[in-house]
Amino acid sequence: MSEETWEAAGQESRRGFLNAALGFFTLAVTVGVMSPVGMFLWPRGQKTAAGRATAMKLPLAEVPVGEAKFFRFLNKPAVVIRPNEQEAVALSAVCTHLGCIVKWSESKGEFDCPCHGGRFDAKGAVLGGPPPKPLTAYAARIEDEYLVIEEA
Ligand code: FES
């Protein structure tokens, strides 16, 4: 084989390798981007005939006592807290004033709305500020090693 033929074969081999690497990279990026989108669009849990989740389970280990875990439920932001080992409280995280997302203040033991200073207690009752009504409550119970949250 002549030197030019060897060189051409080497270039063809490099081109094939680069095409395969580019294809693999494109596939990895596509899967990496689409997985979270898919999990957002199709959350774990039971669904109604209309396709909306009405119940879901969270591993208990994901919600330590005294801490809050934010998640999406009924296609809206929601939060669950465990005041103690036996109890769980699940609420909509959407402020009842103008719809901002509340934040949990562990030090104060209450939800604070960053928009206009609304405050809610750990069960969603209004403590102060402009919110006209409590946070929407969901049914929550501890079942084995899971928190089960259902539409109330
Ligand atoms: S939106 Fe929460 S206090 Fe206004």
Side-chain angles (χ1 to χ4, degrees):
M1 203 179 263
S2 73
E3 191 168 311
E4 284 178 8
T5 308
W6 277 108
E7 212 169 278
Q11 283 180 350
E12 196 58 42
S13 172
R14 278 192 297 269
R15 183 172 296 131
F17 171 76
L18 289 175
N19 281 338
L22 181 62
F24 178 77
F25 178 75
T26 302
L27 179 68
V29 168
T30 302
V31 169
V33 169
M34 294 311 292
S35 293
V37 171
M39 288 169 57
F40 174 77
L41 294 174
W42 296 283
R44 303 175 273 179
Q46 298 172 1
K47 298 193 180 222
T48 62
R52 193 174 67 147
T54 58
M56 67 180 295
K57 283 181 169 184
L58 291 173
L60 260 186
E62 288 185 15
V63 190
V65 172
E67 292 183 21
K69 176 169 179 69
F70 287 80
F71 58 100
R72 286 191 75 80
F73 183 58
L74 304 176
N75 214 20
K76 294 179 190 149
V79 61
V80 64
I81 59 171
R82 288 177 59 203
N84 54 53
E85 287 288 340
Q86 292 80 34
E87 199 180 354
V89 177
L91 302 163
S92 166
V94 179
C95 180
T96 54
H97 179 224
L98 293 177
C100 291
I101 307 305
V102 298
K103 297 188 180 321
W104 172 245
S105 169
E106 199 172 325
S107 61
K108 294 192 281 183
E110 65 182 44
F111 292 98
D112 297 325
C113 181
C115 294
H116 311 102
R119 296 172 45 234
F120 302 87
D121 72 11
K123 294 194 173 183
V126 177
L127 292 174
K133 56 185 186 177
L135 296 173
T136 301
Y138 302 123
R141 66 178 186 281
I142 296 172
E143 209 176 86
D144 300 324
E145 295 300 310
Y146 290 93
L147 274 170
V148 179
I149 297 149
E150 295 173 306
E151 192 169 15

